[in-house]
Amino acid sequence: MPISPKKGEKGKFKKKAKDQDAGNDFVPPPLPMPGDEFAMPTREIVKPDNQLHLSEADLNEEIAKMLTANNPTAPKNIARFNMKERTYKFEPMVDQTIVHYATDGWLLHKGSEEAKKQIDLEKMEQEASQRFNDPDKAHGDKNMDESEAPDDSKQLRNQFNFSERAAQTTNYPLRDRETYTEPPPTATVSGSCTQWEIYDEYIKDLERQKVEETLKSKGGKKQGAAATQQPAVVKTQEAVPPMQSPDMSKAVRIVDRMVNQNMFEEIAMDFKYWEDASDTYRPGEGTMLPLWRFTSEKARRRQVTSICWSPAYKDLFAVGYGSYEFLKQTSGLICIFSLKNPSHPEFTFSTDSGVMSLHFHPDYANLLAVGCYDGSVLVYDVHTGLDQPIYRATVQTGKHHDPVWQVFWQVDEAQKALQFVSISSDGNVNLWTMNKSELTHESLMKLKVVGPKGNTETTDEDGGQTMSIAGGCCMDFSKDPGQEHVYLVGTEEGAIHKCSKAYSSQYLSTYMAHHLAIYAVKWNYIHHRIFLSASADWSVKLWDCEQTSSPVMTFDLKDSVGDIAWAPYSATVFAATTDDGKVHVFDLNENKIVPICSQKIVKKAKLTKIVFNPKQPIVLIGDDKGTVTSMKLSPNLRKSSKPEKGQKFEDLEISKLDAVMEVARKSDVNH
C-alpha cells in the first residue's frame, strides 16, 4: 500500500521547509512516490556559515592525503645527555605507539567442561546464599541436614589474633648440677732480681746459642759427606715441622693441591684440552695461551735469573731470583714450584747473594747446583728441605771473583764422582768436584780475548806481550753422545769459543759472532752440529760448528735478546725473549725470515728467561718483576715429523734442518 502523509502533516512540513529555506538555503527532500518504499535515502547538503566559496578549478583540484603510522603529538626535539661524548645529542628514535585500550583476560567456550564446572559452581553458590539469607526459607526448611552448612574455609582469619608456633612449644626448664672439690694448694713465692743476675743469664744464653750453631755446622758437614759417599741414595722424606708426623704432612700437601686445582679448574682444563681451532685456517701462524703465573711474596723486587726443569718430575721446576744490576744487589732466593700447586712454592731456599744460575743433576734429581752473584757456588739437597747448602765454595776453596753466569753438571765415568762446571765474568771456567768434606776445583779454561788475526796476545807500549782476559757470559755442552766433552762459551766481547775439556790452553775454534755481549748459546737437541746464539745487539744467529766464517742465518728482533731455547720436539723450532716483553717463536720449516708467533707477554717488564717443557707443550717465561708465566703452544707451534715404518724421527728432523740451511746458503751466494 502506498504511504501518504496524515492529514495536517503535509501543510506543516511545507511551512517548516519554507521557514528553513528563508534562512539557510535548505532544500527539502522530495516526497516518496507511490511504490518507492525501498528507495535509497536522499542526500542532504548543509552548508555551514563560514564555508569558503571556491571556484570550479579549485573544487576539481586533487589533493593527495597519506595515512602514516607517525604520532602527530609525539615530540620531535628530545635531547639527551651522552655520557661518553660529554654533550647533549638529539634522540633520533621517538616512540610513536599510543595505546587507547588494553586489557588482559581469559575466555572459555560455553560448551567446554571447565566452563560448565564454573557455571555449576556459580549456581550452587547463588542457591546457597539465597537459602541461608532468606529467613523464612531458613526456618521453614526443618529437614535441612547439617552437612548443607555454608563452607567458611575460604574466609580470612583474624590477623590480629595470630600466635607464633614457636611460642606454643614447651620450653624445658634448665637443670643445674654442681659438685664440690677441694681447692688446689697455693703458695706465695717472692724474690728479687738484680742487674748482674740478668747479665749472667744473657751470657749463658749466648753461650748456648754458639754451642747449637757449632753442632748444626758439624751435622751439615757429616750429612754432606754421607751424601757424597752414597750419591745414589735419594732422600725422599721431606722436612717435617715439629709436632707433625710425616703422614700428616703428606696428607696436608695433597689436600692443599686438591684445593688449588679446584680454584684453578678452568686453567687446568685449558692446560689439558685447549687447542686453537683457528690454526687450521691460518697455516704458518700460531698463538700461545697464558696458563698459571708463579710468584712468591719473597720474590718481590727480584729478577728471574734462571729456570730449570726437574729431570725426574716433569711438573717440577726450580726458579732462581737475583738481580742483573750492580747497584741493586740483594740476597738471593730459590723457589721450587709444581704445576699441581701454582699458589705457592713447594720449597724455598735463601742465599746470601743473588742467584744467577741453576741446574739439576740429570741422574740425582735431589741435587741442585747454584751459581751466585758474589762468585760462590752452592749445592743443595732439595728433598731434605733444609735451608742450608750441603756444599759451599768459599774464598779458601777458590770461588770465582765475579758473578757465576751458568753451571752445568758433568758425568765422570772414570772417577764416579759428582762434578759440575761453572763459568764467570772473571774469565775462568772451573770444574768442581764434590769430595767428602768440601768442594774442590780445577781450571778447565782461562778465557782470553782473540785478536783480529786469531792471536790471544797483544803488544803493549813497552813492546811486551800481554794477554787480555775475556769475560764469560754463557756456555752449553754438546748433546752429541760422543762429544760430551765439547762445549761452547759466549763472552762479553761478542765472540763464541768452541772448547774441550781435554785442552785447557787453546780453543778448538772461534766464531766472531756478535758486536755486544752474548747472553745465551744453545746446541740443538736433535741436529748436534747446529747451535744458536743470542746477544744484546738485537740479533739471533744460527751457526754450523764446521763453518766458522759466518752464520748460516741471522734474525733481527728489534730489541735486546735475553734468552733463547730450542724446542725438544723439533729441530727447526726455537723461541727467543726480548726486553720489550715479547716472545718470538720461529719454525724454520714454515718461515725462514719471520717468526710464526710474536706475542707480548708482559706490559711493563723485561723478559729474562725461557725454557720448554721436555714432555708437555708449554713454555715457562721469566721476567724482571719476579714472575714466571706458563704458556701453552697452539698446534701450529708444535709441529714435528711423523716417521713412517722403517724411518727414524731424528733422521727426518735433521733432513728438514739441512734443507733449510741449504736454501739459506744458496740465497747468500746469489746475493
Side-chain angles (χ1 to χ4, degrees), residues 199-211:
Y199 176 78
D200 293 339
E201 291 299 326
Y202 272 109
I203 294 299
K204 291 180 182 179
D205 185 64
L206 291 174
E207 292 178 355
R208 180 182 57 80
Q209 292 179 5
K210 290 181 180 179
V211 172

Side-chain angles (χ1 to χ4, degrees), residues 601-632:
I601 307 301
V602 291
K603 293 183 179 179
K604 297 180 180 180
K606 299 179 181 179
L607 300 183
T608 56
K609 292 294 176 181
I610 183 171
V611 290
F612 282 85
N613 187 282
K615 294 295 182 182
Q616 303 293 338
I618 63 173
V619 293
L620 296 178
I621 303 163
D623 56 34
D624 62 350
K625 301 296 183 182
T627 303
V628 176
T629 306
S630 58
M631 309 286 291
K632 185 174 182 180

